[in-house]
Amino acid sequence: MGNMLGWPAPTLKKLREPDSEIHLSLWEEVWVVNVFYLTTLMGPFPYGVLMNVMGRKTTLLIANIFAAASWALTYFGRTGTTLLIARGLAGIMSGGAFTVMFVYVAEIAEPRVRGIAGTLMVASIFLGTILVYLFGPYVSIQTMAAISGTLPLVFLLLFSLCPESPYYYVMRGRRADAERALAWLRGGAPIENELAAIQTSIERERKTGQGYFAKMLSLITVPAHRKAFIIVEVLAFLQRFSGFSSLATYSTVVLPPRLGPLTVDHCTLIMGVVWLVSSLFCSAFIDRVGRKPLLYFSSIGFVVSMLPTAIWYYLDRETSADVTGVNWVPFAGFIGFGVALTGGLGSIAPVYNGELFPSHLKGQASAFTTIVGAASSAISIAMFPMLASHVGLYANFLVYAAMGPVTGVFTYFYVIETKGKSLQMIQAELNGEEIGEQEENGKE
């Protein structure tokens, strides 16, 4: 996923070179980038159905086929149209990955490590992005596609060895399979209490007897589901609209071409490495300090990093002031923004998506979340050149800085803390039920 997200950064610059086989206009570039997010919108609801019918694991393996096809087409294609189609296939894969993977991990992980497991997936996304930043500037588009094309194969080989979600097996009435999967996941530790809790939770959900569209409607009409829905969708919007998608896409064409001995490609690679490290920082602390303190960290970091960046671009592009002596400010801002995002909101928003919904609604809820995230990214990326052309490049960074206070206020008044709580306990809290500390510790 990160490999596909990071692909435009070094590629757009290559496509602008005079000897490039493919030449795109500015708006064609926007479409090649944005079609990824637009086709992501097509996948969530079909994948949401598949994950409940065929299983979480099988659905992810199906999505992987589109990833392989995307890189194959990028390798063999020589026109803008083939790039457009390849990015579209990548988006279809993205719709499945974002809809299913966080649900799967939330269902297989123990409460004490569920946050770590969820944020490590975000770290993996940045690792894939770094792969593009590391090789992309120095090899051809076709060679990068060949390197990237090995990742779907590795995923197929390794993930085929992993078990299906025990929740899915219990939902399908396959208790023996659920027992085997849970025993594999827990490495031989006692599983009777956990399996019983899963069984009880699924049976309670099954009593609702809702059809697919009734379940979607219940995300709004049932107070507990509505609270979870608002938390997850607002965080998904803030995560994408705060600027990550745009900065990851346009960094190589908006940063100063050189920063001392560093080229813009070096700066982009450093950004990716720092963002990866900060996501690992989040993984290390999310189950110690909790989700909400790290969200506050993001809200402050957005303002501190993006406001000086906006001022620098305003002075550089809109006035006659000479700011070349401090041309490190945008790069420092991009670095700081990435640390603030991946150290908090960027890593935590997907974790909430896997934690807050009951099993029978996760397919529908994850589909909505994927759509909100993809739409927010598409709008942010399309808005970037429009604001740059009609207002000024600095306006984009003012928008990203403004997302900081919005994130902080929303977190304070609405987001719940889920650190160390089982999925059953989280549902009880959303329903306003009281659970004593002793019972909570026993369930953990």
Side-chain angles (χ1 to χ4, degrees), residues 137-425:
Y138 310 107
V139 299
S140 66
I141 294 175
Q142 287 70 34
T143 301
M144 191 66 240
I147 295 172
S148 302
T150 62
L151 298 181
L153 177 60
V154 172
F155 176 79
L156 174 65
L157 295 175
L158 295 182
F159 193 58
S160 296
L161 305 175
C162 296
E164 179 57 83
S165 164
Y167 278 80
Y168 167 75
Y169 282 138
V170 173
M171 287 171 60
R172 307 301 292 182
R174 298 165 59 179
R175 183 179 173 86
D177 290 331
E179 186 174 350
R180 282 191 292 271
L182 197 57
W184 190 95
L185 290 164
R186 300 297 176 258
I191 61 170
E192 290 77 14
N193 291 340
E194 185 176 1
L195 188 60
I198 294 173
Q199 184 79 47
T200 301
S201 177
I202 296 297
E203 288 175 355
R204 186 186 302 122
E205 296 164 6
R206 189 174 288 141
K207 291 178 181 178
T208 60
Q210 295 175 320
Y212 187 83
F213 292 102
K215 290 178 181 178
M216 285 197 294
L217 187 61
S218 73
L219 291 171
I220 303 298
T221 58
V222 178
H225 300 164
R226 182 170 61 246
K227 184 177 180 70
F229 184 74
I230 292 173
I231 291 172
V232 170
E233 305 315 322
V234 172
L235 289 180
F237 167 79
L238 293 172
Q239 178 203 31
R240 300 298 188 85
F241 201 75
S242 62
F244 168 71
S245 300
S246 298
L247 297 191
T249 299
Y250 295 113
S251 60
T252 57
V253 294
V254 298
L255 283 174
R258 294 198 71 89
L259 183 60
L262 301 177
T263 67
V264 69
D265 292 324
H266 295 146
C267 292
T268 304
L269 177 60
I270 293 171
M271 280 169 45
V273 172
V274 173
W275 293 4
L276 171 63
V277 171
S278 62
S279 67
L280 293 174
F281 165 87
C282 183
S283 299
F285 285 93
I286 186 172
D287 285 322
R288 296 183 183 182
V289 303
R291 281 64 162 156
K292 293 183 70 171
L294 293 175
L295 290 175
Y296 293 135
F297 168 72
S298 288
S299 66
I300 296 171
F302 291 166
V303 178
V304 171
S305 62
M306 288 290 95
L307 192 56
T309 303
I311 294 172
W312 189 92
Y313 276 108
Y314 176 79
L315 295 174
D316 184 59
R317 304 290 179 94
E318 309 298 326
T319 73
S320 58
D322 183 7
V323 292
T324 55
V326 288
N327 67 344
W328 51 266
V329 170
F331 179 53
F334 282 32
I335 290 285
F337 168 83
V339 170
L341 180 73
T342 59
L345 175 62
S347 299
I348 291 172
V351 173
Y352 272 114
N353 183 44
E355 290 182 330
L356 294 189
F357 298 106
S359 296
H360 72 294
L361 293 180
K362 283 183 178 177
Q364 292 83 354
S366 294
F368 271 116
T369 305
T370 302
I371 289 173
V372 169
S376 302
S377 290
I379 294 171
S380 177
I381 288 173
M383 189 177 72
F384 193 92
M386 293 178 62
L387 280 179
S389 300
H390 299 289
V391 181
L393 185 59
Y394 71 93
N396 287 288
F397 305 106
L398 287 178
V399 171
Y400 305 152
M403 293 300 102
V406 175
T407 301
V409 171
F410 179 73
T411 299
Y412 182 81
F413 286 104
Y414 210 79
V415 176
I416 67 171
E417 182 58 72
T418 59
K419 181 187 73 169
K421 299 173 183 175
S422 70
L423 299 182
Q424 292 77 30
M425 289 164 50

Side-chain angles (χ1 to χ4, degrees), residues 24-32 381-383 385-386 389-390:
L24 304 176
S25 67
L26 176 63
W27 287 107
E28 286 174 331
E29 287 183 358
V30 172
W31 274 107
V32 166
I381 288 173
M383 189 177 72
M386 293 178 62
S389 300
H390 299 289

